[in-house]
Amino acid sequence: MDKYYFALLGEAGAAGIAKAFYVRFKKVELRKAYEQETTHWEYFRKFRRSSLEYPVYYVLFITGILISLLGFGVTKRAIRRLEKAAINFYVRNFPGDKDIEAILEQEREHMRI
């Protein structure tokens, strides 16, 4: 699978799950993370588009709601795990890309929630 396509779907899902966490907990940090994930999704839309974007978004939105029902501690662990996987993906597949470096910095910031 093309790395841009995979990143597109990953960011669509990240936006969905971030939106769910924000809807559930109403924290400023989670709103900021949702807005940043949405801009990442829009960035990858410049390279690829897919009919799977919105289904992935909504499936992970629902998944995020379910995770958030387990409490904020579980939600924080889920955020750290997802962001760690995203960071590893970007480091491995986009070495030295300046735009991706900005995305990586934001992903690292999300791990501090």
Side-chain angles (χ1 to χ4, degrees):
M1 189 181 312
D2 178 23
K3 65 184 179 181
Y4 287 99
Y5 184 73
F6 193 66
L8 172 74
L9 295 180
E11 290 300 343
I17 206 162
K19 172 80 177 217
F21 292 161
Y22 172 65
V23 165
R24 181 83 168 88
F25 294 110
K26 303 287 191 232
K27 293 188 179 281
V28 174
E29 306 88 22
L30 294 173
R31 181 179 54 85
K32 183 178 176 186
Y34 166 65
E35 291 168 353
Q36 289 174 341
E37 295 295 356
T38 302
T39 61
H40 302 167
W41 182 12
E42 291 168 1
Y43 172 77
F44 286 106
R45 280 181 159 179
K46 292 187 277 186
F47 302 102
R48 293 289 303 262
R49 293 301 304 257
S50 173
S51 60
L52 294 176
E53 290 174 61
Y54 286 101
V56 167
Y57 175 87
Y58 288 113
V59 165
L60 285 174
F61 176 81
I62 292 167
T63 302
I65 293 292
L66 295 174
I67 290 170
S68 70
L69 292 174
L70 299 173
F72 193 65
V74 173
T75 300
K76 285 172 56 173
R77 283 190 299 246
I79 290 169
R80 284 190 208 106
R81 188 167 193 186
L82 294 169
E83 295 298 348
K84 185 177 178 182
I87 290 167
N88 289 338
F89 171 79
Y90 288 129
V91 167
R92 196 172 47 248
N93 291 295
F94 297 95
D97 188 320
K98 296 297 180 194
D99 292 332
I100 301 301
E101 289 297 324
I103 291 173
L104 272 170
E105 185 56 38
Q106 291 176 349
E107 299 289 1
R108 288 183 184 111
E109 183 181 313
H110 299 164
M111 289 186 69
R112 288 175 258 190
I113 292 177

